[in-house]
Amino acid sequence: MAKKTIRPDSDVYTAILALACLAVLAAAVFVTLTCINYYGSDALLQIAQVPK
Amino acid sequence: MSILTKILAVLLSLFSLLLAGMVVTFVGNANNYKQSYEEAKNLSVVLQAELATKDEQYNVQVNKCTELKKQLQLELQNTEADKNQMASDLRKAERLALQYQSQADSWKGVMTGFEQSVRNLQASLSQTQEQLDMARSQGVKDQKELNQITADLYEKIVQLQSLDAERRRLLEQKKELESLMATNGSPAKEIVPITPLNRTASPATTAPAGTDVKGLVIEVQQNLITLSVGSADGVKEKMVFHITRGDRFLCDVVVTNVDINRCAGVLDLVQQSPQVGDTASTQL
C-alpha cells in the first residue's frame, strides 16, 4: 500500500482553526488567572464541589 | 476536504471566538465576592466592637439613669413631704388669719364702742368741767363774801372791845364819883380812867395779822402763778401762800404783785407743779 501524504487542503482554514484554539486557550488562561487572583489557588480544586 | 467540513470549521472558529469573548467579558466584569466578604466581615467586626462599646455606654447610662431616678424619687418624696407640710402650714396660717380677722373685727367693734364711750365721757367731762368752773367761781365769790364777813366780824369785835373798854372806863368813873360823894365835900379832881381809850380800830377791808387767807390758783405760767385773792382780802406784797392739793403740799408762792381781787407771785420750794384749782392759803 502506498504511503499517502496528508496535506491540508488550504492554509486559510488551518489558520482559522489555530486562531480559534488560541482564543479559547487565552480565554481559559484569563479565567484561571482571574479565579486565582480572586479566590486563591485552592479555589480551582473546589469549583466542582457542592457548597455545603 | 468537503465543503461541509469547511463550513463547520469556520462556524466552530467563529463560535469559539464569540464564546471566548463572552467568557472574558463576563469574568472581567464579575465581582470579587471574597474581597467583598472580607470587607463585610471586617465591617461586621468593627460594628460588633462599636456595638459592644455602645452596649457598655448604654449600660453605664442605664446605671446612671437608675441612680438619678432613685435620687429624683427621693427628692420627689422629700418635695412631696415639704409640699404636704407647707400645705398644712398654709391651712394653719389661713385658720390663724381667719381667727385674727375675727379678732380684729371684734376689736374694731370694741374700739367703736370705746370711741362712743370716750365721746360720752368727754361730753360729761366738759359738762363736769363747766360745773366745776361754776363751782369755783361760786367758791371764789363765797370766799370773798366770807372774807368780807370775817372783816366785818373783826370790825365788830374791835368795836365791841372798844365799847367794852368804854363801858369799863365809865364804870370806873362811876365808882370814882361814888367814892368822892361818899367822902363828902372833898374837891373834885380830874378822873383818870385806868383803862386807856382805844380808838385804833383797823379798817374793815384789811384782815388782821395772823388770820388765814385762803384762795385758789386761777392761772399758772411757768414760774409765775396767779391767785384768786387780792388786796380786798388782806393780801400784801411779800406775803407767802402755801399751795396744797388735798393733803399734799405742792409749793410756796411769794406775792410780788397785788390787785384788788387777785394777786400774782413767784414759786418757791417747789415739790410739785401747781395746777389751776389748787388751794392757796397763808397757813397750813
Side-chain angles (χ1 to χ4, degrees):
Chain A
M1 175 177 185
K3 194 174 181 181
K4 190 177 180 180
T5 304
I6 300 172
R7 292 181 53 188
D9 292 338
S10 177
D11 293 332
V12 175
Y13 296 106
T14 303
I16 290 171
L17 291 173
L19 181 61
C21 290
L22 286 174
V24 171
L25 181 62
V29 170
F30 174 76
V31 170
T32 303
L33 291 177
T34 301
C35 183
I36 291 171
N37 185 24
Y38 282 3
Y39 304 107
S41 59
D42 296 335
L44 292 175
L45 302 175
Q46 297 174 356
I47 289 174
Q49 291 181 357
V50 176
K52 296 180 180 176
Chain B
M1 178 182 298
S2 64
I3 294 173
L4 183 60
T5 304
K6 291 178 181 178
I7 290 171
L8 289 176
V10 170
L11 289 176
L12 181 61
S13 299
L14 289 175
F15 288 156
S16 299
L17 289 173
L18 182 61
L19 182 61
M22 291 174 64
V23 169
V24 168
T25 301
F26 176 76
V27 171
N29 293 327
N31 294 324
N32 189 352
Y33 289 106
K34 184 177 181 181
Q35 185 179 0
S36 299
Y37 168 74
E38 294 293 335
E39 290 176 356
K41 185 177 181 182
N42 293 331
L43 182 61
S44 175
V45 171
V46 171
L47 291 176
Q48 288 290 339
E50 289 182 359
L51 180 62
T53 305
K54 295 295 182 185
D55 284 338
E56 291 178 357
Q57 293 178 356
Y58 172 74
N59 291 328
V60 171
Q61 292 295 329
V62 166
N63 292 331
K64 288 182 179 178
C65 288
T66 305
E67 293 178 356
L68 186 60
K69 186 177 179 181
K70 290 179 180 177
Q71 292 179 357
L72 290 176
Q73 285 179 348
L74 289 174
E75 291 180 358
L76 183 61
Q77 291 176 355
N78 293 330
T79 306
E80 287 290 337
D82 293 339
K83 178 187 173 184
N84 294 330
Q85 184 66 29
M86 287 182 178
S88 62
D89 292 340
L90 178 63
R91 286 193 292 274
K92 290 179 181 177
E94 288 176 351
R95 285 197 298 273
L96 288 174
L98 290 175
Q99 290 178 359
Y100 289 148
Q101 185 65 35
S102 62
Q103 288 181 357
D105 293 338
S106 63
W107 281 112
K108 186 178 179 181
V110 172
M111 288 302 295
T112 304
F114 280 163
E115 288 177 354
Q116 185 64 31
S117 300
V118 167
R119 281 196 291 273
N120 295 333
L121 289 175
Q122 285 179 346
S124 63
L125 178 62
S126 61
Q127 291 178 357
T128 307
Q129 189 69 32
E130 290 176 357
Q131 291 177 358
L132 180 61
D133 292 338
M134 292 175 63
R136 282 175 180 168
S137 61
Q138 186 66 32
V140 170
K141 289 180 181 177
D142 294 342
Q143 186 68 29
K144 286 181 180 178
E145 291 178 359
L146 179 62
N147 292 333
Q148 185 66 35
I149 291 170
T150 304
D152 293 342
L153 177 62
Y154 281 125
E155 183 181 0
K156 298 296 183 185
I157 290 173
V158 169
Q159 289 177 357
L160 186 62
Q161 288 177 350
S162 138
L163 290 174
D164 190 26
E166 185 67 21
R167 185 180 61 81
R168 279 186 290 172
R169 188 178 65 81
L170 291 174
L171 286 175
E172 289 174 355
Q173 284 182 354
K174 179 183 175 183
K175 288 181 179 178
E176 186 69 23
L177 287 174
E178 286 176 355
S179 63
L180 285 174
M181 289 176 65
T183 54
N184 291 323
S186 62
K189 59 180 179 182
E190 188 179 359
I191 300 171
V192 179
I194 298 173
T195 303
L197 184 59
N198 188 6
R199 296 184 183 275
T200 57
S202 59
T205 57
T206 304
T211 57
D212 185 16
V213 179
K214 290 185 177 180
L216 295 174
V217 176
I218 59 174
E219 188 176 0
V220 177
Q221 293 178 354
Q222 295 183 350
N223 198 25
L224 187 63
I225 193 167
T226 304
L227 303 179
S228 63
V229 290
S231 60
D233 302 314
V235 178
K236 297 179 180 178
E237 290 187 0
K238 296 183 181 179
M239 186 178 285
V240 177
F241 280 87
H242 308 292
I243 308 298
T244 57
R245 185 183 301 156
D247 297 334
R248 198 168 38 180
F249 173 76
L250 301 179
C251 62
D252 284 345
V253 175
V254 179
V255 177
T256 57
N257 190 9
V258 180
D259 201 352
I260 295 174
N261 57 355
R262 61 173 59 189
C263 66
V266 294
L267 298 177
D268 190 15
L269 300 177
V270 178
Q271 295 185 356
Q272 192 172 356
S273 298
Q275 296 177 355
V276 175
D278 290 336
T279 304
S281 63
T282 56
Q283 292 181 357
L284 289 175

